[in-house]
Amino acid sequence: MKRLTLLRHAKSDWDDPAQRDFDRGLNGRGKRAAALIGGHLRSGGAVFDAVVASPALRVVETLAQVELGYGRTLGAVWDRRIYLASAVTLLDVVQELPSEATHVLLVGHNPGLEDLALWLVPESDEAPRVALGVKYPTATIAEIVFDGTWRDLAPGAARLTRFVRPRDLDPTLGPDAD
């Protein structure tokens, strides 16, 4: 069984309207949320064989804060294709993952991550899937599992096992307008 954890970058800073989108970092709330998610991953025993992420500054800073909460370096591979990618492009990235990897963390942006999760996981009345269908907030993780190889992953072939928003762990971190 393969396990894919999708992490949307944390809340970014919009203080400088002239700044390039790629160069926007995190705001204070985003840093707190990312560190909290890192601690949640650690306490849940998550161990990643690979981490693939967008090189956008807000993703780099999200992973730095996740690592603080997680308690160790994750050793991300930066893949420019993930920056503002569509679900189709993200699926291509996932299907190219090393076959020996069993649990991978993919860190990127919306709407691509949300679209990918909705595409891979069939609709159901289960609470995590319903929450996913409503909104995929910043610094949220969606964990999916499926049988087969990374190349076999296809729409509707996965099961959502966890959907955790920062506000689920600390109510002061949500809801927000992202």
Side-chain angles (χ1 to χ4, degrees), residues 12-156:
S12 58
D13 188 358
W14 287 88
D15 285 347
D16 182 357
Q19 191 170 41
R20 285 186 337 147
D21 178 73
F22 189 84
D23 297 327
R24 279 189 297 112
L26 299 183
N27 66 19
R29 182 175 171 171
K31 290 176 183 176
R32 284 191 351 259
L36 186 65
I37 288 294
H40 176 74
L41 290 168
R42 180 189 67 233
S43 68
V47 176
F48 303 104
D49 300 309
V51 178
V52 185
S54 162
L57 182 59
R58 61 191 176 274
V59 174
V60 172
E61 290 185 358
T62 295
L63 273 173
Q65 293 300 312
V66 166
E67 288 174 342
L68 286 175
Y70 189 67
R72 70 178 107 155
T73 302
L74 293 170
V77 171
W78 309 105
D79 189 330
R80 180 76 183 208
R81 294 177 297 168
I82 298 171
Y83 175 63
L84 304 180
S86 69
V88 172
T89 299
L90 292 173
L91 183 57
D92 288 343
V93 169
V94 170
Q95 289 175 333
E96 294 171 9
L97 290 169
S99 59
E100 63 276 1
T102 58
H103 190 179
V104 174
L105 176 63
L106 177 67
V107 191
H109 311 265
N110 257 8
L113 279 182
E114 179 175 1
D115 291 345
L116 178 64
L118 291 170
W119 197 30
L120 294 176
V121 179
E123 283 192 48
S124 78
D125 293 334
E126 294 177 4
R129 180 56 176 85
V130 170
L132 169 64
V134 171
K135 186 176 183 182
Y136 199 127
T138 53
T140 293
I141 57 169
E143 186 176 275
I144 64 171
V145 296
F146 65 97
D147 292 318
T149 69
W150 296 112
R151 282 221 170 280
D152 295 333
L153 184 56

